[in-house]
Amino acid sequence: AVLNYFTSAPEKQIIDFYQEHFGESTSKERKRGRLTLTYQKEKQTMRVVVSQQNNKRQVDVIVEQIN
């Protein structure tokens, strides 16, 4: 499943939100201005990608089933 949205929230607030709801990320990587947070729970991996888009931030949430 993929969900994406735009927000005017600062990056730290986005990180804090996902940390509060999903715990500490299993990995954190910044490439070409994009921050990728990875969370793992049971048989699912969730990646949260945060990137700057003009005056807002785009957040892409990708949830994948682990076989």
Side-chain angles (χ1 to χ4, degrees), residues 8-36:
S8 55
E11 185 178 87
K12 176 154 179 22
Q13 188 176 348
I14 297 166
I15 294 167
D16 290 349
F17 171 84
Y18 284 97
Q19 226 171 30
E20 182 181 323
H21 289 85
F22 297 99
E24 194 67 39
S25 61
T26 55
S27 75
K28 187 187 263 189
E29 178 182 38
R30 190 176 296 274
K31 257 191 204 171
R32 296 187 183 110
R34 288 186 176 148
L35 174 65
T36 301

